[in-house]
Amino acid sequence: MGLGGVFIKNSLPDTSLEIMQEKLSILKEPFLKSFNPSVKSRKDRIERVIKLIEENSDQIHAVISKDFGSRHEQLSQLTDTLATISHAKHVLKKVSSWVKPDRRKARFPLNLLGSSAYVHNQPLGVIGIIAPWNFPISLSLGPLIEVFAAGNNAMMKLSEFVPETSKLIDELIKKYFSEAEVVVINGGVQTSTDFTKLKFDHLVYTGSTAVAKKVSASVAENLVPLTLELGGKSPVIVSSDADMKKSVGQIMTGKTVNAGQICVAPDYTFVPDSKQDEFVSLAREFVQNSFPTIKNNPDYTSIIHLNHYERLNSLISDAKEKGATVVELNPANEDFSQQEYHKIPPTLILNPSDDMEIMQEEIFGPIMPIKTYSKFEEVIQYINHQPKALALYYFGNNKNEIDTVINDTSSGQAVMNEWGFQYAYEDLPFGGVGPSGSGAYHGKEGFLSFSHNKAVLKGQKLINLWSLVGAPFTEKTDKMAKRF
Ligand code: NAD
């Protein structure tokens, strides 16, 4: 099959703005009566998300593989279905404690005679969820879990690049939930664009920084608050004392799981000058052991669509033309010019310079630029001059360097001697900073993001405090005000 064959997806018909508005009114209706869903009902919804996944996981894995062209079902199990179930089970355990009033101290004299103050976290109402294609279950049903924990209803739009998955999730949501709880909207970019015009009470957008700008502009019309889960160029620093074999294994895993199509994938790596050759030979060994063949190997994931495939190949050509050394890690020496599954073998780019496109945009594929350094401070300076990343990875054991990475740089997450598992620590907030995102979900922060943190003050009953400080203004009221 020639290029383009598996990229022609059965795109789903668009959904009109009017239909979306009708569905939104149904979802909003319960909040005309109350913003106080019971903990039991919140847990019941989360349990139904778990049931939906558990009872249909084989079918879910199969449609994701179909949408990708080639993606191993065990990978979808690990990163989509099991990850979401584990996330949901964590939230189930915590939700009762999260919904309790968060007591705050009332200060003198407001604390006199039985007054009390607390934060009452109540549902916002209906939350819109826009999800990308790369982990279509984790990034749609994942946010839904905390949206439900916070007592909200939801409307979800999955990516047009995973139409079979979107269709199935739509059918399953209809089976396990009523349309007064959650609905799925299908369609292409026009539908996504219209989706952002709806008067949601909050919108969670997961996707690229470029599209996030359009989403932000569109929701501004209705002042819809946003959680933005974006991407960016997540750097990796390999320290001079790092265990090279373990570090390279982790870093190359990050570039080969889902063919590097992961928001938290390491984007480019800094290695000490003297360690570049060792990095290259260990990366070669890693690929040889993990993927002895690539082209028809179901363990190695396809690039999702033609534009993305061509973009990645053009990043490699541009780097080559501008003088980089390109090292293709292709153990069986396969010819990738004509292929059914549109795969790009893991590729290292040595001596990348900042004028190369590959150093200017998020790669989101199995290509790893390697920059060398002699002084650690230069690395920190370089990183601090780039847009703030979603994740910053450090491999090594130097305490001062670790402290510098944590304290002197800004990124959504800082991760030492590990790759990607920050997403699996459900108690840690997951989010970016600046151009890599704003807001977070996972853990209590997720619950708080999707709640209105309402300030409640129950005043003391016996004295009217305003009578002590209000008009008529006298010396006495002045003294009292100063005491307050
Ligand atoms: P994308 O931004 O192209 O699309 C994401 C979603 O936005 C899709 O559902 C799409 O239909 C919708 N969309 C497209 N144009 C739109 C518009 N004009 N208005 C409103 N919605 C629109 O991203 P993608 O290619 O699906 O995903 C890759 C990007 O997502 C990468 O940048 C990656 O880093 C990021 N990402 C971030 C996270 C995270 O949690 N931080 C997770 C996965 C992916």
Side-chain angles (χ1 to χ4, degrees):
M1 190 187 294
L3 282 185
V6 293
F7 287 101
I8 300 164
K9 314 224 178 219
N10 302 316
S11 57
L12 300 169
D14 276 320
T15 305
S16 72
L17 186 55
E18 290 69 32
I19 288 181
M20 287 193 258
Q21 272 159 341
E22 276 166 30
K23 288 181 186 285
L24 181 59
S25 329
I26 298 172
L27 290 165
K28 284 207 170 204
E29 227 168 80
F31 299 103
L32 298 175
K33 292 198 196 97
S34 170
F35 282 83
N36 194 26
S38 66
V39 173
K40 193 167 165 240
S41 73
R42 301 177 193 211
K43 285 186 168 176
D44 167 59
R45 288 172 169 196
I46 298 169
E47 275 158 3
R48 277 184 280 150
V49 174
I50 296 175
K51 212 165 158 211
L52 177 159
I53 299 173
E54 280 177 348
E55 291 178 353
N56 300 282
S57 56
D58 288 347
Q59 213 187 340
I60 292 173
H61 301 151
V63 288
I64 297 178
S65 299
K66 200 167 166 203
D67 277 331
F68 269 78
S70 172
R71 178 164 119 162
H72 203 286
E73 302 196 348
Q74 273 185 37
L75 177 63
S76 298
Q77 182 182 40
L78 190 72
T79 58
D80 272 289
T81 51
L82 289 184
T84 309
I85 290 172
S86 158
H87 177 184
K89 288 191 171 167
H90 173 79
V91 174
L92 266 185
K93 270 194 228 141
K94 297 280 183 177
V95 63
S96 311
S97 65
W98 290 344
V99 295
K100 286 192 178 134
D102 179 3
R103 299 266 162 215
R104 298 298 166 97
K105 276 195 181 139
R107 67 177 182 83
F108 178 82
L110 303 175
N111 59 351
L112 289 176
L113 301 169
S115 74
S116 65
Y118 62 93
V119 178
H120 172 68
N121 291 306
Q122 65 174 188
L124 287 162
V126 183
I127 314 277
I129 301 175
I130 298 185
W133 47 265
N134 61 333
F135 296 108
I137 302 301
S138 284
L139 300 172
S140 58
L141 300 185
L144 182 65
I145 290 161
E146 275 129 9
V147 163
F148 278 163
N152 302 287
N153 287 340
M155 191 185 260
M156 302 196 292
K157 165 71 180 70
L158 276 72
S159 169
E160 55 281 9
F161 294 118
V162 281
E164 298 293 330
T165 312
S166 306
K167 208 165 112 206
L168 177 64
I169 294 303
D170 183 17
E171 286 163 15
L172 295 177
I173 287 286
K174 282 182 179 135
K175 188 170 158 197
Y176 289 81
F177 293 92
S178 81
E179 60 176 2
E181 295 176 307
V182 52
V183 294
V184 173
I185 299 294
N186 279 322
V189 172
Q190 185 56 51
T191 304
S192 300
T193 308
D194 288 345
F195 192 88
T196 62
K197 294 179 187 155
L198 296 169
K199 288 185 181 166
F200 290 117
D201 297 291
H202 190 98
L203 180 72
V204 192
Y205 167 80
T206 306
S208 62
T209 304
V211 172
K213 291 179 187 173
K214 296 185 192 169
V215 172
S216 301
S218 173
V219 301
E221 189 64 33
N222 293 311
L223 290 180
V224 174
L226 274 177
T227 297
L228 295 174
E229 296 282 348
L230 313 178
K233 291 185 82 61
S234 295
V236 184
I237 308 171
V238 177
S239 175
S240 52
D241 76 355
D243 176 328
M244 286 299 284
K245 188 164 175 152
K246 267 197 198 154
S247 309
V248 175
Q250 293 254 13
I251 297 164
M252 291 310 293
T253 303
K255 274 292 185 194
T256 50
V257 168
N258 213 30
Q261 300 167 110
I262 308 182
C263 57
V264 290
D267 192 273
Y268 61 98
T269 301
F270 276 104
V271 296
D273 292 323
S274 57
K275 305 252 173 162
Q276 176 169 278
D277 292 348
E278 191 181 355
F279 190 107
V280 174
S281 79
L282 286 167
R284 199 182 292 286
E285 191 183 308
F286 169 87
V287 175
Q288 169 79 56
N289 292 336
S290 306
F291 308 101
T293 64
I294 291 175
K295 229 166 124 172
N296 293 310
N297 180 350
D299 293 358
Y300 196 84
T301 305
S302 298
I303 301 304
I304 187 75
H305 55 72
L306 185 59
N307 281 354
H308 190 35
Y309 177 80
E310 287 179 341
R311 186 183 73 84
L312 289 170
N313 278 316
S314 91
L315 292 181
I316 298 174
S317 325
D318 175 74
K320 207 181 230 171
E321 274 162 28
K322 290 178 179 153
T325 305
V326 174
V327 182
E328 192 176 270
L329 304 173
N330 176 2
N333 209 16
E334 292 165 281
D335 174 6
F336 285 88
S337 59
Q338 284 288 309
Q339 45 163 331
E340 187 175 358
Y341 295 120
H342 303 92
K343 296 187 179 176
I344 295 181
T347 303
L348 306 178
I349 307 287
L350 309 183
N351 307 317
S353 53
D354 288 354
D355 65 328
M356 293 173 185
E357 284 162 16
I358 201 148
M359 293 309 293
Q360 293 169 7
E361 54 189 78
E362 178 182 4
I363 298 171
F364 219 59
I367 313 166
M368 174 60 89
I370 313 279
K371 285 176 82 71
T372 56
Y373 72 93
S374 55
K375 286 198 186 118
F376 182 75
E377 299 70 47
E378 290 164 15
V379 176
I380 298 299
Q381 272 306 300
Y382 182 88
I383 289 171
N384 281 347
H385 279 84
Q386 308 307 312
K388 292 174 183 173
L390 185 56
L392 171 48
Y393 298 99
Y394 172 89
F395 290 88
N397 304 296
N398 182 314
K399 189 180 171 311
N400 289 339
E401 290 180 354
I402 291 174
D403 286 347
T404 304
V405 164
I406 296 170
N407 298 320
D408 299 342
T409 69
S410 178
S411 57
Q413 307 122 34
V415 183
M416 267 45 75
N417 295 309
E418 196 55 276
W419 163 77
F421 275 111
Q422 70 270 32
Y423 185 85
Y425 277 73
E426 287 104 5
D427 222 12
L428 277 176
F430 186 81
V433 54
S436 59
S438 57
Y441 66 99
H442 279 200
K444 188 161 185 190
E445 284 76 5
F447 169 80
L448 292 175
S449 299
F450 305 141
S451 299
H452 168 46
N453 319 131
K454 183 189 265 185
V456 178
L457 171 67
K458 291 185 176 164
Q460 53 79 35
K461 294 183 189 107
L462 297 182
I463 309 172
N464 174 1
L465 290 172
W466 279 111
S467 69
L468 303 178
V469 291
F473 296 115
T474 61
E475 227 173 273
K476 205 171 139 206
T477 52
D478 182 47
K479 257 192 197 159
M480 195 57 88
K482 281 177 178 151
R483 261 193 85 193
F484 281 14

